[in-house]
Amino acid sequence: NAGVTQTPKFRVLKTGQSMTLLCAQDMNHEYMYWYRQDPGMGLRLIHYSVGEGTTAKGEVPDGYNVSRLKKQNFLLGLESAAPSQTSVYFCASSSSGGGNTGELFFGEGSRLTVL
Amino acid sequence: SQQGEEDPQALSIQEGENATMNCSYKTSINNLQWYRQNSGRGLVHLILIRSNEREKHSGRLRVTLDTSKKSSSLLITASRAADTASYFCFRAGNNRKLIWGLGTSLAVNP
């Protein structure tokens, strides 16, 4: 029972490099989310998706892009990484969203360092 | 940021004691959820309480919700060293906003 799987778990980038984080869920959830977690800042929503082929901006979308070509996958891309994007990234999914958001299922996180 | 408030920020207790943490919010909610995060791991859902519920139990966890005071509390009874973690509240508002608190860091000393 995999749940939500994130890859890679760790990555070190140089400023200006690009990379993609992959999130996969096997629960047939419509809603998927990308968060970043920084000390003292809590969880901040980057982008989210309400279904296959849809994406929407969250609180802190600048510098990130996302795609949801398949229902089970939600990709987070950094086109030109900056040191300010050093963080731990979490993917989550849920079967319901908006004002009736139910239980969120989280991945184990991807720790990204930008030098 | 629309993050709400949790208190205390940090809590240190002895094994066997009860731990209480609180969450306050500003806008109306449909439900409020509590999550646990062990160091270096993802968040795990603990309990969901709906706006028309006042109290909910799950094992050693008890959650209360007071919509008139816009606050919730999580009580962990008979704490164990394994309860050491950060605890977060999450609100799904009826304005469709999803809001996370900054968390309470709980240390349970053996």
Side-chain angles (χ1 to χ4, degrees):
Chain A
N1 192 358
V4 177
T5 304
Q6 292 181 230
T7 53
K9 289 184 172 46
F10 301 93
R11 185 74 187 268
V12 178
L13 287 177
K14 293 181 180 178
T15 296
Q17 287 185 319
S18 63
M19 75 158 296
T20 300
L21 297 176
L22 170 64
C23 176
Q25 54 96 3
D26 61 3
M27 296 168 283
N28 202 34
H29 285 167
E30 291 291 341
Y31 296 81
M32 295 187 74
Y33 314 84
W34 275 107
Y35 285 96
R36 59 178 290 173
Q37 186 178 38
D38 303 288
M41 302 291 289
L43 281 166
R44 292 183 292 170
L45 183 63
I46 304 171
H47 286 280
Y48 65 99
S49 168
V50 301
E52 181 178 312
T54 75
T55 63
K57 294 180 180 179
E59 273 184 85
V60 289
D62 294 342
Y64 304 94
N65 56 74
V66 287
S67 64
R68 183 117 181 253
L69 299 179
K70 293 183 178 181
K71 186 176 184 178
Q72 63 267 35
N73 296 337
F74 195 28
L75 278 64
L76 177 71
L78 286 72
E79 289 187 346
S80 179
S84 61
Q85 293 177 305
T86 293
S87 187
V88 181
Y89 292 85
F90 287 98
C91 177
S93 71
S94 64
S95 58
S96 56
N100 290 310
T101 298
E103 178 180 351
L104 293 168
F105 293 80
F106 281 83
E108 288 295 308
S110 298
R111 184 175 296 274
L112 175 65
T113 301
V114 183
L115 302 176
Chain B
S1 171
Q2 296 196 38
Q3 291 168 334
E5 298 180 4
E6 289 168 359
D7 71 273
Q9 286 188 324
L11 182 60
S12 181
I13 60 174
Q14 296 299 122
E15 222 169 11
E17 293 180 340
N18 295 341
T20 300
M21 50 207 88
N22 306 295
C23 171
S24 62
Y25 57 92
K26 297 179 180 178
T27 58
S28 296
I29 60 169
N30 288 327
N31 70 61
L32 185 144
Q33 303 174 39
W34 286 91
Y35 287 79
R36 182 187 74 233
Q37 184 180 32
N38 291 92
S39 181
R41 305 296 298 274
L43 283 79
V44 175
H45 182 264
L46 295 175
I47 200 162
L48 180 153
I49 186 164
R50 302 190 190 284
S51 59
N52 61 353
E53 297 175 311
R54 291 297 167 257
E55 188 170 310
K56 212 161 180 183
H57 296 255
S58 177
R60 294 183 296 113
L61 304 181
R62 173 180 162 235
V63 168
T64 60
L65 179 65
D66 187 334
T67 52
S68 66
K69 294 181 179 177
K70 290 187 167 58
S71 69
S72 174
S73 66
L74 170 67
L75 168 67
I76 304 174
T77 60
S79 63
R80 306 166 181 168
D83 294 327
T84 293
S86 292
Y87 293 82
F88 295 88
C89 71
F90 168 80
R91 281 87 74 202
N94 55 18
N95 59 358
R96 302 176 64 82
K97 293 288 187 182
L98 308 178
I99 304 170
W100 288 92
L102 295 179
T104 294
S105 178
L106 173 65
V108 181
N109 306 302

